[in-house]
């Protein structure tokens, strides 16, 4: 095909496209103008929040094909189940610190690693302290004075000194048995033994053999793991169900299939502003020390017979954002009518209905989304019929009859361009016609 023919066909196509665009704009303009205060609202056709649902008519066969089932609105006790997650933590009431009140040096360390089990009274370390040595010498001297005193007054004064020396050593966490041993031996010891104040597991150790200890220093932290806590997170909407004394079931990934029973001992008085959860504390017995701090836990709290109310299956309620809808069966005709409802608490697979339904009504409990789609489609078709019946003025498209226009029937050589003044000067007739005889 020659270049000239290509240009000619392109011009024809552009002209036809322009005519078609003009025809479309003339047809669409009246419909756009009807969108004013008295115009048609197309929000429903787009499935917006303000759409109106139409009743749906289904035969028994149609309902069976798409899997529609029904449930009865019942008034019953609503059992709430709250599931939460948490972590095992130390029972803070069973934590003990060994915090010496003397300055000294560790001559021997009996418990030399974190995690070691200890029993109350078991030796932890031997400490050399110049102050303890002086206190021992005062004790021995006071003991001698008591033994050598002859008068009543002298004996009473010596006894006061002895009691004072004993208290000084006792205030340094020296056991009574150790003090009696020093009195009996009559000789001071270079080192004294510090013993475990409680039974448990050493969870912190901040000293090594040969190291220096100072008053107020946390040397050991001992945790009794016979009882542990589980710190759980409960959503704000469920906090009213978590009460002190409530029994719960706890499971752990480390022990699949096993259920541990515990009790809520404390509900924290604050809510996390980011997660919108509150914390609850569950106390668990830990025989065999199987539960370890830091383990992940699942908490299951079931409140039986929380209160009575109307309930339907959760699958029966369609939430559209601003409202909730339930389809109710009216009679045996298969007519399903949408009802807007107000929902309440969720109880397992059921949900409470506060308003919108009555006891004994039959509601769609499955395939509700298909019924909703059918109802929306019916509303959209009704809107389109209202648009056709509105009597909008017809648009006269006779001027855009592409098939009868002379321009479309004429060839490019027959078009009269005598009225067109080409910018830049008209072509002189003397220029002569172009000879196209050589073109096919």
């Amino acid at each position: 095909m020659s270049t000239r023919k290509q240009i000619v066909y392109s011009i024809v196509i552009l002209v036809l496209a322009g005519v078609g665009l003009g025809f479309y704009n003339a047809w669409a303009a009246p419909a756009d103008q009807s969108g004013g205060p008295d115009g048609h609202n197309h929000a429903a056709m787009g499935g917006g929040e303000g759409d109106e649902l139409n009743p749906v008519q289904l035969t028994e066969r149609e309902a069976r094909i798409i899997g529609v089932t029904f449930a009865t609105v019942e008034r019953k006790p609503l059992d709430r189940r709250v599931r939460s997650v948490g972590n095992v933590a130390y029972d803070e009431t069973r934590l003990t610190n060994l915090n010496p009140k003397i300055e000294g040096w560790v001559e021997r360390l009996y418990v030399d690693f974190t995690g070691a089990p200890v029993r109350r009274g078991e030796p932890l370390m031997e400490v050399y302290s110049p102050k303890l040595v002086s206190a021992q010498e005062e004790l021995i001297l006071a003991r001698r004075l008591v033994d050598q005193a002859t008068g009543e007054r002298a004996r009473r004064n010596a006894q006061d000194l002895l009691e004072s020396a004993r208290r000084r050593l006792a205030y340094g966490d020296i056991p009574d048995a150790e003090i009696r041993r020093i009195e009996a031996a009559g000789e001071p010891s270079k080192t004294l033994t510090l013993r475990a104040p409680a039974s448990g597991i050493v969870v912190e150790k901040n000293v090594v053999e040969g190291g220096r200890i100072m008053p107020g220093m946390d040397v050991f932290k001992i945790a009794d793991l016979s009882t542990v806590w589980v710190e759980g997170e409960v959503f704000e909407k469920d906090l009213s169900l978590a009460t002190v004394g409530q029994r719960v079931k706890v499971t752990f990934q480390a022990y699949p299939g096993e259920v541990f029973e515990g009790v809520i001992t404390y509900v924290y008085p604050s809510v996390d502003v980011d997660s919108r959860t509150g914390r609850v504390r569950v106390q668990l017995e830990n025989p065999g020390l199987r539960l370890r701090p830091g383990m992940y836990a699942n908490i299951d709290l079931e409140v039986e017979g929380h209160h009575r109310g109307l309930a339907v299956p959760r699958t029966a309620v369609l939430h559209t954002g601003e409202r909730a809808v339930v389809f109710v069966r009216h009679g045996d005709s298969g007519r399903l009518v949408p009802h807007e409802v107000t929902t309440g608490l969720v109880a397992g697979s059921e949900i409470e209905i506060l308003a919108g339904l009555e006891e004994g009504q039959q509601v769609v409990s499955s395939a509700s989304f298909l019924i909703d789609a059918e109802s929306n489609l019916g509303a959209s078709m009704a809107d389109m019929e209202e648009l056709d019946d509105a009597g909008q003025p017809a648009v006269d498209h006779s001027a855009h009859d592409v098939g009868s226009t002379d321009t479309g029937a004429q060839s490019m050589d027959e078009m009269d361009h005598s009225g067109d003044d080409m910018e830049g000067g008209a072509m002189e007739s003397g220029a002569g016609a172009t000879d196209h005889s050589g073109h096919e």
Side-chain angles (χ1 to χ4, degrees):
M1 184 183 292
S2 64
T3 304
R4 180 175 179 83
K5 287 185 178 181
Q6 292 178 350
I7 295 174
V8 171
Y9 288 146
S10 299
I11 294 174
V12 172
I13 292 173
L14 290 174
V15 171
L16 294 177
V19 172
L21 182 61
F23 172 80
Y24 173 78
N25 290 335
W27 175 81
D32 294 339
Q33 293 174 358
S34 64
D38 299 330
H40 178 66
N41 180 15
H42 293 275
M45 299 178 65
E49 295 291 346
D51 55 359
E52 294 294 335
L53 297 178
N54 277 3
V56 177
Q57 188 74 32
L58 286 181
T59 64
E60 291 186 5
R61 181 176 181 274
E62 292 171 338
R64 186 170 57 254
I65 290 175
I66 64 176
V68 176
T69 58
F70 298 93
T72 303
V73 181
E74 298 178 345
R75 186 176 298 275
K76 60 174 66 175
L78 297 175
D79 297 337
R80 291 292 308 280
R81 171 169 289 183
V82 178
R83 289 184 173 88
S84 177
V85 295
N87 292 282
V88 178
Y90 297 111
D91 183 344
E92 294 178 5
T93 64
R94 296 173 179 266
L95 289 176
T96 306
N97 272 343
L98 178 62
N99 192 311
K101 302 174 180 63
I102 57 174
E103 179 183 1
W105 287 261
V106 179
E107 293 287 323
R108 184 176 180 183
L109 194 62
Y110 293 102
V111 178
D112 54 2
F113 66 92
T114 302
V118 296
R119 293 187 175 275
R120 183 184 180 89
E122 182 179 337
L124 298 179
M125 60 183 177
E126 292 184 1
V127 179
Y128 163 69
S129 172
K131 290 185 178 181
L132 285 180
V133 173
S134 298
Q136 292 179 76
E137 292 175 346
E138 291 178 5
L139 175 66
I140 294 171
L141 179 60
R143 177 77 265 177
R144 289 174 181 172
L145 289 176
V146 169
D147 293 341
Q148 297 174 1
T150 55
E152 182 66 23
R153 183 175 181 180
R155 180 179 292 276
R156 187 168 56 251
N157 290 338
Q159 188 66 35
D160 290 342
L161 289 175
L162 179 61
E163 294 297 330
S164 176
R166 288 172 178 172
R167 285 195 301 270
R168 186 177 180 184
L169 286 172
Y171 291 162
D173 294 333
I174 305 302
D176 292 339
E178 188 73 13
I179 295 175
R180 290 194 297 268
R181 185 193 65 78
I182 295 172
E183 286 187 46
E187 292 290 335
S189 299
K190 177 184 177 182
T191 63
L192 290 178
T193 302
L194 298 184
R195 300 178 181 274
S199 301
I201 304 297
V202 175
V203 295
E204 286 187 16
K205 184 183 77 71
N206 300 313
V207 66
V208 294
E209 192 167 298
R212 182 184 181 185
I213 59 174
M214 299 292 292
M217 178 180 176
D218 291 333
V219 179
F220 290 101
K221 177 179 284 188
I222 301 171
D224 181 2
L225 297 180
S226 60
T227 300
V228 294
W229 289 350
V230 176
E231 300 281 353
E233 302 284 339
V234 177
F235 285 112
E236 184 178 358
K237 65 182 179 67
D238 298 323
L239 276 177
S240 61
L241 303 177
T243 58
V244 175
Q246 178 70 39
R247 299 201 65 83
V248 300
K249 296 180 180 179
V250 186
T251 57
F252 299 90
Q253 293 180 348
Y255 306 110
E258 291 191 55
V259 178
F260 298 78
E261 292 191 358
V263 61
I264 296 178
T265 58
Y266 187 69
V267 179
Y268 287 82
S270 60
V271 173
D272 187 273
V273 296
D274 295 325
S275 62
R276 308 310 306 168
T277 58
R279 294 171 60 199
V280 298
R281 179 191 301 161
V282 177
Q283 182 171 305
L284 291 178
E285 297 297 326
N286 188 23
L289 307 184
R290 300 173 67 200
L291 305 180
R292 298 171 173 83
M295 292 177 69
Y296 185 83
N298 293 292
I299 304 173
D300 193 348
L301 168 62
E302 186 170 357
V303 183
E304 297 182 357
H306 181 60
H307 72 281
R308 295 179 62 87
L310 292 179
V312 298
R314 293 174 61 182
T315 55
V317 182
L318 294 171
H319 295 277
T320 63
E322 293 185 355
R323 64 178 183 172
V325 176
V326 173
F327 283 90
V328 179
R329 180 166 66 175
H330 283 222
D332 297 329
S333 61
R335 192 165 185 260
L336 307 178
V337 180
H339 285 216
E340 187 171 344
V341 297
T342 303
T343 58
L345 298 176
V346 176
S349 61
E350 296 182 323
I351 186 169
E352 182 184 15
I353 301 298
L354 301 178
L357 295 179
E358 296 180 358
E359 186 176 1
Q361 288 181 313
Q362 293 285 315
V363 299
V364 176
S365 60
S366 64
S368 298
F369 66 96
L370 294 177
I371 306 299
D372 178 57
E374 176 67 19
S375 181
N376 275 305
L377 179 59
S380 300
M381 296 300 296
D383 291 336
M384 295 179 65
E385 291 176 0
E386 291 176 6
L387 181 63
D388 293 338
D389 296 340
Q392 295 183 4
V395 181
D396 184 9
H397 301 291
S398 59
H400 302 285
D401 189 356
V402 181
S404 61
T405 181
D406 294 338
T407 305
Q410 292 176 347
S411 64
M412 293 300 296
D413 294 337
E414 294 173 344
M415 290 183 182
D416 184 7
H417 301 283
S418 60
D420 297 328
D421 185 9
M422 305 294 288
E423 185 179 356
M427 297 179 64
E428 297 181 0
S429 59
T434 305
D435 184 8
H436 300 287
S437 60
H439 300 280
E440 296 181 356

